[in-house]
Amino acid sequence: MDEIYNLACPASPIHYQNDPVQTTKVNVHGSINMLGLAKRLKARILQASTSEVYGDPTVHPQTEEYWGNVNCIGLRSCYDEGKRCAETLFFDYFRQHKLKIKVVRIFNTYGPRMHPNDGRVVSNFILQALRNQDITVYGDGNQTRSFCYVEDMIQGIIRMMNASDQFTGPVNLGNPEEYSILELAQKIIELTDSTSKIVYRPLPENDPLQRQPNIELAKQQLDWEPRIDLEEGLRHTIDYFRRLI
Ligand code: UDP
């Protein structure tokens, strides 16, 4: 084995909050297990970290230098702090054991083959729109996210794995086009020709207000940037869910 991609952790808030103790465990114990394996086999190891390490950011857009604003006892902290601790472990194995590490911070990603019960916003809205059911916007819908199509993301991750050993990251990977959740809902209604109405539900605890990656480092070091804009990516994803249902 030459390379390990450690993606082992549920990424959807409803799934990682379903068993928060296991979420912290998979990030901490799981990373230790994989780092130990990488050390023994002298394999290169990549950690799928997350924009959640920035928490509810006070710096916008987020650069890799920003240390983040995370509540360590909130409902999201099993994921946020679990992923932060995993980054700590990766960098300590790098400094202490000279491991070849790679850390990517993945921002919201979507695309075909998402699970229909994933619970994240893009798949929820598309399924609701295709079924002409109410679209559930949490809060007032003014919170923002930046959505990256899955093929772009995979390209970025592979480029990072293949980059020189000196470049450990962390590096942001995501699409810097920023949309409010309300704009996303309207776009999906339009693209699906749906009769769905938008309804408002309470905002989950510690739901970040805004999120947008600064991807200058990835552009410079990996010669990478997303190619597929939101509308095109949504069309592919809508086609997928239409066939599925
Ligand atoms: N959201 C929403 N309706 C849904 C699912 C999510 O309004 O049915 C909102 C959620 O509150 C958040 C944003 O969409 O502000 C993105 O949520 P998601 O669960 O996709 O990922 P997050 O970026 O919060 O980890």
Side-chain angles (χ1 to χ4, degrees):
M1 187 199 308
D2 304 305
E3 296 176 346
I4 300 170
Y5 289 80
N6 183 31
L7 295 113
C9 182
S12 167
I14 56 164
H15 293 292
Y16 69 66
Q17 289 170 23
N18 183 46
D19 190 342
V21 171
Q22 286 299 331
T23 300
T24 301
K25 276 192 186 173
V26 76
N27 281 305
V28 178
H29 294 181
S31 293
I32 292 171
N33 293 343
M34 287 302 101
L35 286 160
L37 184 65
K39 184 176 166 215
R40 182 158 65 79
L41 299 178
K42 300 191 189 340
R44 196 175 303 149
I45 181 163
L46 179 144
Q47 169 65 359
S49 189
T50 169
S51 54
E52 284 287 319
V53 301
Y54 302 123
D56 192 3
T58 55
V59 166
H60 195 73
Q62 294 78 54
T63 58
E64 290 83 354
E65 286 77 43
Y66 177 50
W67 288 1
N69 177 32
V70 173
N71 173 3
C72 68
I73 55 168
L75 290 179
R76 294 175 86 104
S77 58
C78 57
Y79 187 74
D80 299 8
E81 297 290 8
K83 290 281 189 184
R84 286 169 69 94
C85 184
E87 287 200 18
T88 306
L89 286 162
F90 269 68
F91 278 86
D92 282 334
Y93 270 79
F94 168 68
R95 284 183 288 252
Q96 196 175 333
H97 299 299
K98 312 289 174 241
L99 247 66
K100 293 176 188 161
I101 64 152
K102 301 275 172 191
V103 176
V104 293
R105 291 183 178 156
I106 298 175
F107 284 65
N108 295 63
T109 300
Y110 70 96
R113 294 201 244 159
M114 285 182 90
H115 196 280
N117 295 331
D118 179 276
R120 274 174 291 183
V121 67
V122 174
S123 47
N124 274 12
F125 284 4
I126 290 178
L127 283 165
Q128 289 164 343
L130 289 175
R131 291 169 171 151
N132 294 310
Q133 294 166 346
D134 289 346
I135 306 254
T136 53
V137 168
Y138 302 158
D140 61 10
N142 288 322
Q143 71 272 34
T144 68
R145 294 293 186 273
S146 307
F147 299 100
C148 186
Y149 189 64
V150 62
E151 279 179 24
D152 283 330
M153 180 56 62
I154 290 170
Q155 277 303 317
I157 294 172
I158 292 172
R159 278 195 195 197
M160 180 55 173
M161 180 62 101
N162 294 336
S164 86
D165 289 345
Q166 280 71 47
F167 185 54
T168 57
V171 61
N172 289 340
L173 294 180
N175 192 321
E177 281 179 45
E178 186 185 11
Y179 293 89
S180 74
I181 296 306
L182 207 51
E183 285 173 324
L184 177 76
Q186 282 152 354
K187 215 175 215 342
I188 289 174
I189 290 174
E190 192 187 301
L191 290 173
T192 50
D193 240 341
S194 171
T195 58
S196 292
K197 301 269 168 295
I198 291 175
V199 297
Y200 295 89
R201 297 279 176 267
L203 190 68
E205 183 187 303
N206 295 145
D207 197 284
L209 277 181
Q210 50 181 9
R211 193 184 281 153
Q212 182 190 26
N214 173 312
I215 59 165
E216 289 312 307
L217 187 65
K219 280 188 193 167
Q220 240 176 53
Q221 294 284 334
L222 308 175
D223 190 24
W224 174 86
E225 65 182 310
R227 305 263 167 235
I228 296 172
D229 67 16
L230 184 64
E231 187 158 325
E232 188 186 347
L234 285 177
R235 284 185 199 282
H236 294 311
T237 314
I238 290 166
D239 284 348
Y240 170 78
F241 279 114
R242 197 173 265 132
R243 283 197 301 272
L244 194 77
I245 63 173

